[in-house]
Short mmCIF file of all heavy atoms in Angstrom, two decimals:
data_model
loop_
_atom_site.label_atom_id
_atom_site.label_comp_id
_atom_site.label_asym_id
_atom_site.label_seq_id
_atom_site.Cartn_x
_atom_site.Cartn_y
_atom_site.Cartn_z
N ALA A 104 27.36 -6.26 178.16
CA ALA A 104 26.02 -6.61 178.66
C ALA A 104 25.57 -8.00 178.19
O ALA A 104 24.43 -8.41 178.45
CB ALA A 104 25.01 -5.57 178.19
N HIS A 105 26.47 -8.69 177.48
CA HIS A 105 26.20 -10.05 176.97
C HIS A 105 25.01 -10.08 176.00
O HIS A 105 24.24 -11.04 175.98
CB HIS A 105 25.94 -11.02 178.13
CG HIS A 105 27.04 -11.03 179.15
ND1 HIS A 105 28.30 -11.55 178.88
CD2 HIS A 105 27.09 -10.56 180.42
CE1 HIS A 105 29.06 -11.41 179.96
NE2 HIS A 105 28.36 -10.82 180.91
N THR A 106 24.85 -9.01 175.22
CA THR A 106 23.78 -8.96 174.21
C THR A 106 24.34 -8.97 172.79
O THR A 106 23.58 -8.99 171.83
CB THR A 106 22.93 -7.69 174.39
OG1 THR A 106 23.78 -6.53 174.36
CG2 THR A 106 22.19 -7.71 175.71
N LEU A 107 25.68 -8.96 172.68
CA LEU A 107 26.28 -8.89 171.34
C LEU A 107 26.01 -10.16 170.53
O LEU A 107 25.73 -10.09 169.33
CB LEU A 107 27.78 -8.64 171.44
CG LEU A 107 28.51 -8.48 170.10
CD1 LEU A 107 27.95 -7.27 169.35
CD2 LEU A 107 30.01 -8.34 170.30
N GLU A 108 26.09 -11.33 171.18
CA GLU A 108 25.88 -12.57 170.44
C GLU A 108 24.46 -12.64 169.87
O GLU A 108 24.24 -13.14 168.78
CB GLU A 108 26.15 -13.78 171.35
CG GLU A 108 27.62 -13.94 171.73
CD GLU A 108 28.53 -13.98 170.50
OE1 GLU A 108 28.17 -14.67 169.52
OE2 GLU A 108 29.58 -13.32 170.52
N LEU A 109 23.50 -12.13 170.65
CA LEU A 109 22.12 -12.08 170.15
C LEU A 109 22.03 -11.18 168.91
O LEU A 109 21.37 -11.52 167.92
CB LEU A 109 21.18 -11.56 171.25
CG LEU A 109 19.70 -11.42 170.87
CD1 LEU A 109 19.12 -12.78 170.49
CD2 LEU A 109 18.91 -10.78 172.01
N LEU A 110 22.75 -10.04 168.98
CA LEU A 110 22.76 -9.12 167.84
C LEU A 110 23.41 -9.77 166.62
O LEU A 110 22.92 -9.63 165.49
CB LEU A 110 23.52 -7.85 168.24
CG LEU A 110 23.58 -6.70 167.23
CD1 LEU A 110 22.18 -6.21 166.90
CD2 LEU A 110 24.42 -5.56 167.78
N LEU A 111 24.48 -10.52 166.85
CA LEU A 111 25.19 -11.16 165.74
C LEU A 111 24.45 -12.37 165.18
O LEU A 111 24.79 -12.86 164.10
CB LEU A 111 26.60 -11.57 166.19
CG LEU A 111 27.55 -10.42 166.54
CD1 LEU A 111 28.88 -10.95 167.02
CD2 LEU A 111 27.73 -9.49 165.35
N SER A 112 23.46 -12.86 165.92
CA SER A 112 22.69 -14.02 165.43
C SER A 112 21.68 -13.61 164.36
O SER A 112 21.11 -14.47 163.69
CB SER A 112 21.96 -14.68 166.60
OG SER A 112 20.92 -13.83 167.10
N THR A 113 21.48 -12.31 164.19
CA THR A 113 20.59 -11.82 163.14
C THR A 113 21.30 -11.93 161.79
O THR A 113 22.54 -12.03 161.75
CB THR A 113 20.20 -10.35 163.38
OG1 THR A 113 21.37 -9.54 163.28
CG2 THR A 113 19.59 -10.18 164.77
N PRO A 114 20.57 -11.94 160.69
CA PRO A 114 21.24 -12.07 159.38
C PRO A 114 21.97 -10.81 158.92
O PRO A 114 22.51 -10.79 157.81
CB PRO A 114 20.06 -12.40 158.44
CG PRO A 114 18.86 -11.84 159.11
CD PRO A 114 19.10 -11.95 160.59
N LEU A 115 21.99 -9.79 159.73
CA LEU A 115 22.65 -8.54 159.32
C LEU A 115 24.16 -8.69 159.26
O LEU A 115 24.76 -9.32 160.15
CB LEU A 115 22.29 -7.42 160.29
CG LEU A 115 20.83 -6.97 160.33
CD1 LEU A 115 20.64 -5.95 161.44
CD2 LEU A 115 20.44 -6.38 158.99
N ALA A 116 24.76 -8.12 158.24
CA ALA A 116 26.22 -8.09 158.15
C ALA A 116 26.76 -7.15 159.23
O ALA A 116 26.08 -6.21 159.65
CB ALA A 116 26.64 -7.61 156.77
N ARG A 117 27.99 -7.43 159.66
CA ARG A 117 28.57 -6.59 160.72
C ARG A 117 28.72 -5.13 160.27
O ARG A 117 28.55 -4.21 161.07
CB ARG A 117 29.92 -7.16 161.15
CG ARG A 117 29.80 -8.51 161.86
CD ARG A 117 31.11 -8.92 162.50
NE ARG A 117 30.98 -10.20 163.18
CZ ARG A 117 31.89 -10.70 164.02
NH1 ARG A 117 32.99 -10.01 164.27
NH2 ARG A 117 31.71 -11.86 164.60
N ALA A 118 29.05 -4.94 159.00
CA ALA A 118 29.18 -3.57 158.50
C ALA A 118 27.85 -2.83 158.60
O ALA A 118 27.80 -1.64 158.89
CB ALA A 118 29.69 -3.58 157.06
N ARG A 119 26.75 -3.55 158.35
CA ARG A 119 25.42 -2.95 158.45
C ARG A 119 25.11 -2.57 159.90
O ARG A 119 24.52 -1.52 160.16
CB ARG A 119 24.38 -3.95 157.92
CG ARG A 119 22.93 -3.53 158.11
CD ARG A 119 22.53 -2.42 157.16
NE ARG A 119 21.12 -2.10 157.31
CZ ARG A 119 20.14 -2.72 156.65
NH1 ARG A 119 20.43 -3.69 155.78
NH2 ARG A 119 18.88 -2.38 156.82
N ILE A 120 25.51 -3.43 160.82
CA ILE A 120 25.29 -3.11 162.25
C ILE A 120 26.04 -1.84 162.63
O ILE A 120 25.49 -0.95 163.29
CB ILE A 120 25.75 -4.30 163.12
CG1 ILE A 120 24.83 -5.50 162.90
CG2 ILE A 120 25.76 -3.90 164.60
CD1 ILE A 120 25.30 -6.78 163.58
N ILE A 121 27.30 -1.74 162.19
CA ILE A 121 28.09 -0.53 162.50
C ILE A 121 27.43 0.70 161.88
O ILE A 121 27.32 1.75 162.53
CB ILE A 121 29.53 -0.69 161.96
CG1 ILE A 121 30.28 -1.75 162.76
CG2 ILE A 121 30.27 0.64 162.01
CD1 ILE A 121 30.49 -1.41 164.21
N ALA A 122 26.97 0.58 160.64
CA ALA A 122 26.36 1.73 159.96
C ALA A 122 25.10 2.19 160.70
O ALA A 122 24.86 3.40 160.86
CB ALA A 122 26.02 1.35 158.52
N GLU A 123 24.29 1.24 161.16
CA GLU A 123 23.05 1.63 161.84
C GLU A 123 23.33 2.17 163.25
O GLU A 123 22.64 3.07 163.73
CB GLU A 123 22.10 0.43 161.90
CG GLU A 123 21.64 -0.01 160.50
CD GLU A 123 20.40 -0.88 160.52
OE1 GLU A 123 19.61 -0.80 161.47
OE2 GLU A 123 20.21 -1.67 159.57
N LYS A 124 24.36 1.62 163.91
CA LYS A 124 24.75 2.17 165.21
C LYS A 124 25.24 3.62 165.04
O LYS A 124 24.94 4.50 165.86
CB LYS A 124 25.85 1.31 165.82
CG LYS A 124 25.40 -0.07 166.31
CD LYS A 124 24.67 0.03 167.63
CE LYS A 124 24.43 -1.33 168.24
NZ LYS A 124 23.71 -1.26 169.54
N PHE A 125 26.02 3.85 163.99
CA PHE A 125 26.52 5.20 163.71
C PHE A 125 25.35 6.14 163.40
O PHE A 125 25.32 7.28 163.86
CB PHE A 125 27.50 5.18 162.54
CG PHE A 125 27.90 6.54 162.06
CD1 PHE A 125 28.75 7.34 162.81
CD2 PHE A 125 27.41 7.04 160.86
CE1 PHE A 125 29.11 8.61 162.37
CE2 PHE A 125 27.77 8.30 160.41
CZ PHE A 125 28.62 9.10 161.17
N ALA A 126 24.39 5.65 162.63
CA ALA A 126 23.23 6.49 162.30
C ALA A 126 22.45 6.87 163.55
O ALA A 126 22.01 8.02 163.70
CB ALA A 126 22.32 5.75 161.31
N ALA A 127 22.30 5.93 164.47
CA ALA A 127 21.58 6.23 165.72
C ALA A 127 22.35 7.25 166.55
O ALA A 127 21.76 8.17 167.15
CB ALA A 127 21.37 4.94 166.51
N MET A 128 23.69 7.11 166.58
CA MET A 128 24.50 8.08 167.31
C MET A 128 24.37 9.47 166.67
O MET A 128 24.28 10.49 167.36
CB MET A 128 25.96 7.64 167.33
CG MET A 128 26.90 8.62 168.02
SD MET A 128 28.56 7.94 168.27
CE MET A 128 29.12 7.77 166.57
N THR A 129 24.35 9.51 165.35
CA THR A 129 24.22 10.78 164.64
C THR A 129 22.90 11.48 164.97
O THR A 129 22.86 12.69 165.20
CB THR A 129 24.32 10.55 163.12
OG1 THR A 129 25.58 9.94 162.82
CG2 THR A 129 24.22 11.86 162.35
N VAL A 130 21.82 10.69 165.01
CA VAL A 130 20.52 11.27 165.35
C VAL A 130 20.54 11.83 166.78
O VAL A 130 20.04 12.93 167.04
CB VAL A 130 19.40 10.22 165.20
CG1 VAL A 130 18.08 10.72 165.78
CG2 VAL A 130 19.22 9.86 163.73
N GLY A 131 21.14 11.09 167.70
CA GLY A 131 21.21 11.56 169.08
C GLY A 131 22.02 12.84 169.20
O GLY A 131 21.60 13.79 169.89
N VAL A 132 23.17 12.90 168.54
CA VAL A 132 24.01 14.11 168.57
C VAL A 132 23.26 15.28 167.93
O VAL A 132 23.27 16.41 168.46
CB VAL A 132 25.35 13.85 167.85
CG1 VAL A 132 26.09 15.17 167.62
CG2 VAL A 132 26.22 12.90 168.66
N ALA A 133 22.60 15.03 166.79
CA ALA A 133 21.86 16.10 166.12
C ALA A 133 20.74 16.63 167.01
O ALA A 133 20.48 17.85 167.06
CB ALA A 133 21.29 15.59 164.80
N PHE A 134 20.07 15.71 167.73
CA PHE A 134 19.00 16.14 168.63
C PHE A 134 19.54 17.04 169.74
O PHE A 134 18.97 18.11 170.02
CB PHE A 134 18.33 14.89 169.22
CG PHE A 134 17.33 15.19 170.30
CD1 PHE A 134 16.12 15.78 170.00
CD2 PHE A 134 17.62 14.89 171.63
CE1 PHE A 134 15.19 16.08 171.01
CE2 PHE A 134 16.70 15.17 172.64
CZ PHE A 134 15.48 15.76 172.32
N LEU A 135 20.64 16.65 170.35
CA LEU A 135 21.19 17.46 171.44
C LEU A 135 21.75 18.79 170.93
O LEU A 135 21.63 19.82 171.61
CB LEU A 135 22.29 16.67 172.17
CG LEU A 135 21.81 15.43 172.93
CD1 LEU A 135 22.97 14.77 173.66
CD2 LEU A 135 20.70 15.77 173.93
N ALA A 136 22.34 18.79 169.75
CA ALA A 136 22.82 20.05 169.16
C ALA A 136 21.64 20.97 168.87
O ALA A 136 21.70 22.18 169.10
CB ALA A 136 23.62 19.77 167.89
N ALA A 137 20.53 20.38 168.39
CA ALA A 137 19.34 21.20 168.11
C ALA A 137 18.76 21.76 169.40
O ALA A 137 18.35 22.94 169.44
CB ALA A 137 18.30 20.35 167.38
N VAL A 138 18.71 20.94 170.44
CA VAL A 138 18.22 21.43 171.74
C VAL A 138 19.09 22.60 172.23
O VAL A 138 18.59 23.61 172.73
CB VAL A 138 18.23 20.29 172.78
CG1 VAL A 138 18.00 20.83 174.19
CG2 VAL A 138 17.15 19.26 172.44
N THR A 139 20.41 22.45 172.06
CA THR A 139 21.33 23.53 172.46
C THR A 139 21.04 24.82 171.68
O THR A 139 20.95 25.91 172.26
CB THR A 139 22.79 23.10 172.22
OG1 THR A 139 23.05 21.87 172.90
CG2 THR A 139 23.76 24.15 172.72
N GLY A 140 20.89 24.68 170.37
CA GLY A 140 20.65 25.86 169.54
C GLY A 140 19.32 26.54 169.85
O GLY A 140 19.26 27.76 170.03
N PHE A 141 18.24 25.74 169.93
CA PHE A 141 16.93 26.32 170.24
C PHE A 141 16.92 26.96 171.63
O PHE A 141 16.31 28.02 171.83
CB PHE A 141 15.84 25.25 170.14
CG PHE A 141 15.40 24.97 168.73
CD1 PHE A 141 15.62 23.73 168.14
CD2 PHE A 141 14.76 25.95 167.97
CE1 PHE A 141 15.23 23.47 166.83
CE2 PHE A 141 14.36 25.71 166.66
CZ PHE A 141 14.60 24.46 166.09
N SER A 142 17.59 26.31 172.58
CA SER A 142 17.62 26.87 173.94
C SER A 142 18.35 28.20 173.95
O SER A 142 17.92 29.15 174.63
CB SER A 142 18.31 25.88 174.89
OG SER A 142 17.59 24.68 174.96
N LEU A 143 19.45 28.29 173.21
CA LEU A 143 20.19 29.55 173.17
C LEU A 143 19.34 30.68 172.60
O LEU A 143 19.31 31.79 173.15
CB LEU A 143 21.45 29.39 172.31
CG LEU A 143 22.66 28.75 172.98
CD1 LEU A 143 23.76 28.48 171.96
CD2 LEU A 143 23.19 29.67 174.08
N VAL A 144 18.63 30.39 171.52
CA VAL A 144 17.83 31.44 170.87
C VAL A 144 16.61 31.79 171.70
O VAL A 144 16.33 32.97 171.96
CB VAL A 144 17.43 30.99 169.46
CG1 VAL A 144 16.48 32.01 168.83
CG2 VAL A 144 18.66 30.83 168.57
N LEU A 145 15.86 30.78 172.15
CA LEU A 145 14.60 31.04 172.85
C LEU A 145 14.83 31.55 174.26
O LEU A 145 14.22 32.55 174.67
CB LEU A 145 13.76 29.75 172.88
CG LEU A 145 13.32 29.23 171.50
CD1 LEU A 145 12.55 27.93 171.64
CD2 LEU A 145 12.50 30.27 170.76
N GLU A 146 15.68 30.88 175.03
CA GLU A 146 15.93 31.34 176.40
C GLU A 146 16.67 32.68 176.38
O GLU A 146 16.42 33.55 177.22
CB GLU A 146 16.73 30.30 177.16
CG GLU A 146 15.98 28.98 177.39
CD GLU A 146 16.81 27.96 178.15
OE1 GLU A 146 17.59 28.35 179.03
OE2 GLU A 146 16.68 26.75 177.84
N GLY A 147 17.58 32.84 175.43
CA GLY A 147 18.32 34.10 175.35
C GLY A 147 17.43 35.28 175.08
O GLY A 147 17.65 36.38 175.61
N SER A 148 16.38 35.08 174.26
CA SER A 148 15.49 36.18 173.94
C SER A 148 14.73 36.69 175.17
O SER A 148 14.29 37.83 175.21
CB SER A 148 14.49 35.75 172.86
OG SER A 148 13.62 34.74 173.36
N LEU A 149 14.61 35.84 176.19
CA LEU A 149 13.91 36.26 177.42
C LEU A 149 14.73 37.24 178.25
O LEU A 149 14.21 37.92 179.13
CB LEU A 149 13.58 35.02 178.27
CG LEU A 149 12.69 33.97 177.60
CD1 LEU A 149 12.51 32.77 178.53
CD2 LEU A 149 11.33 34.56 177.25
N ALA A 150 16.05 37.28 178.00
CA ALA A 150 16.93 38.17 178.78
C ALA A 150 17.66 39.14 177.86
O ALA A 150 18.75 39.61 178.20
CB ALA A 150 17.93 37.34 179.58
N ASP A 151 17.06 39.45 176.71
CA ASP A 151 17.68 40.37 175.74
C ASP A 151 19.06 39.91 175.31
O ASP A 151 19.92 40.74 174.98
CB ASP A 151 17.76 41.79 176.32
CG ASP A 151 16.39 42.44 176.45
OD1 ASP A 151 15.51 42.09 175.64
OD2 ASP A 151 16.21 43.27 177.36
N MET A 152 19.28 38.61 175.36
CA MET A 152 20.53 38.06 174.86
C MET A 152 20.25 37.54 173.45
O MET A 152 20.20 36.33 173.21
CB MET A 152 21.04 36.93 175.77
CG MET A 152 22.46 36.49 175.45
SD MET A 152 23.04 35.18 176.57
CE MET A 152 22.15 33.78 175.89
N ASN A 153 20.05 38.46 172.56
CA ASN A 153 19.62 38.10 171.22
C ASN A 153 20.80 37.63 170.37
O ASN A 153 21.74 38.39 170.13
CB ASN A 153 18.92 39.29 170.56
CG ASN A 153 17.67 39.68 171.33
OD1 ASN A 153 16.85 38.83 171.68
ND2 ASN A 153 17.54 40.97 171.63
N LEU A 154 20.71 36.39 169.93
CA LEU A 154 21.77 35.81 169.12
C LEU A 154 21.25 35.59 167.70
O LEU A 154 20.07 35.28 167.51
CB LEU A 154 22.19 34.46 169.72
CG LEU A 154 22.84 34.52 171.10
CD1 LEU A 154 22.81 33.16 171.77
CD2 LEU A 154 24.28 35.01 170.99
N PRO A 155 22.12 35.75 166.70
CA PRO A 155 21.68 35.51 165.31
C PRO A 155 21.36 34.04 165.10
O PRO A 155 22.25 33.19 165.18
CB PRO A 155 22.90 35.96 164.48
CG PRO A 155 24.06 35.88 165.41
CD PRO A 155 23.53 36.15 166.79
N ALA A 156 20.07 33.74 164.85
CA ALA A 156 19.63 32.34 164.77
C ALA A 156 20.38 31.56 163.70
O ALA A 156 20.73 30.39 163.89
CB ALA A 156 18.13 32.30 164.49
N GLN A 157 20.65 32.20 162.56
CA GLN A 157 21.34 31.51 161.48
C GLN A 157 22.76 31.10 161.89
O GLN A 157 23.20 29.99 161.60
CB GLN A 157 21.39 32.41 160.24
CG GLN A 157 22.00 31.73 159.02
CD GLN A 157 21.91 32.61 157.78
OE1 GLN A 157 21.30 33.68 157.79
NE2 GLN A 157 22.53 32.17 156.71
N ASN A 158 23.45 32.00 162.58
CA ASN A 158 24.81 31.68 163.02
C ASN A 158 24.81 30.67 164.16
O ASN A 158 25.73 29.86 164.28
CB ASN A 158 25.54 32.96 163.43
CG ASN A 158 25.89 33.82 162.23
OD1 ASN A 158 25.61 33.45 161.09
ND2 ASN A 158 26.48 34.97 162.49
N VAL A 159 23.78 30.73 165.01
CA VAL A 159 23.66 29.71 166.06
C VAL A 159 23.49 28.34 165.42
O VAL A 159 24.11 27.36 165.83
CB VAL A 159 22.47 30.02 167.00
CG1 VAL A 159 22.19 28.84 167.93
CG2 VAL A 159 22.76 31.28 167.82
N ALA A 160 22.64 28.26 164.39
CA ALA A 160 22.45 26.99 163.68
C ALA A 160 23.77 26.51 163.08
O ALA A 160 24.09 25.31 163.15
CB ALA A 160 21.39 27.15 162.60
N ALA A 161 24.54 27.43 162.50
CA ALA A 161 25.84 27.05 161.93
C ALA A 161 26.77 26.52 163.00
O ALA A 161 27.46 25.50 162.81
CB ALA A 161 26.47 28.26 161.25
N ALA A 162 26.79 27.20 164.15
CA ALA A 162 27.65 26.75 165.25
C ALA A 162 27.24 25.36 165.74
O ALA A 162 28.09 24.54 166.11
CB ALA A 162 27.60 27.76 166.39
N MET A 163 25.93 25.08 165.72
CA MET A 163 25.46 23.76 166.17
C MET A 163 25.87 22.67 165.18
O MET A 163 26.16 21.54 165.59
CB MET A 163 23.95 23.77 166.34
CG MET A 163 23.46 24.67 167.47
SD MET A 163 24.25 24.29 169.05
CE MET A 163 25.25 25.76 169.29
N VAL A 164 25.89 22.99 163.89
CA VAL A 164 26.36 22.01 162.90
C VAL A 164 27.82 21.65 163.18
O VAL A 164 28.20 20.47 163.21
CB VAL A 164 26.21 22.58 161.47
CG1 VAL A 164 26.92 21.67 160.45
CG2 VAL A 164 24.73 22.72 161.11
N HIS A 165 28.63 22.67 163.40
CA HIS A 165 30.05 22.42 163.69
C HIS A 165 30.23 21.69 165.02
O HIS A 165 31.08 20.80 165.14
CB HIS A 165 30.82 23.74 163.69
CG HIS A 165 31.05 24.31 162.33
ND1 HIS A 165 32.12 23.95 161.53
CD2 HIS A 165 30.33 25.19 161.58
CE1 HIS A 165 32.06 24.58 160.37
NE2 HIS A 165 30.99 25.36 160.39
N LEU A 166 29.41 22.05 166.00
CA LEU A 166 29.51 21.39 167.31
C LEU A 166 29.13 19.91 167.20
O LEU A 166 29.80 19.04 167.75
CB LEU A 166 28.58 22.10 168.31
CG LEU A 166 28.48 21.49 169.71
CD1 LEU A 166 29.84 21.52 170.41
CD2 LEU A 166 27.43 22.24 170.54
N GLY A 167 28.04 19.63 166.47
CA GLY A 167 27.61 18.25 166.29
C GLY A 167 28.66 17.41 165.57
O GLY A 167 28.92 16.26 165.95
N LEU A 168 29.29 17.99 164.55
CA LEU A 168 30.32 17.24 163.82
C LEU A 168 31.54 16.99 164.69
O LEU A 168 32.16 15.92 164.60
CB LEU A 168 30.70 18.01 162.55
CG LEU A 168 29.67 17.94 161.42
CD1 LEU A 168 29.99 18.95 160.33
CD2 LEU A 168 29.63 16.53 160.83
#
Side-chain angles (χ1 to χ4, degrees):
H105 305 291
T106 55
L107 183 61
E108 291 306 317
L109 178 62
L110 184 60
L111 294 178
S112 68
T113 65
L115 294 174
R117 292 190 180 192
R119 173 73 176 272
I120 292 172
I121 291 296
E123 295 198 25
K124 289 283 190 180
F125 171 73
M128 178 170 66
T129 301
V130 170
V132 168
F134 172 71
L135 294 182
V138 168
T139 305
F141 280 115
S142 298
L143 278 172
V144 174
L145 297 178
E146 295 180 35
S148 66
L149 300 177
D151 290 331
M152 191 179 75
N153 297 313
L154 295 162
Q157 185 174 354
N158 288 359
V159 169
M163 294 306 111
V164 170
H165 285 274
L166 176 63
L168 285 168

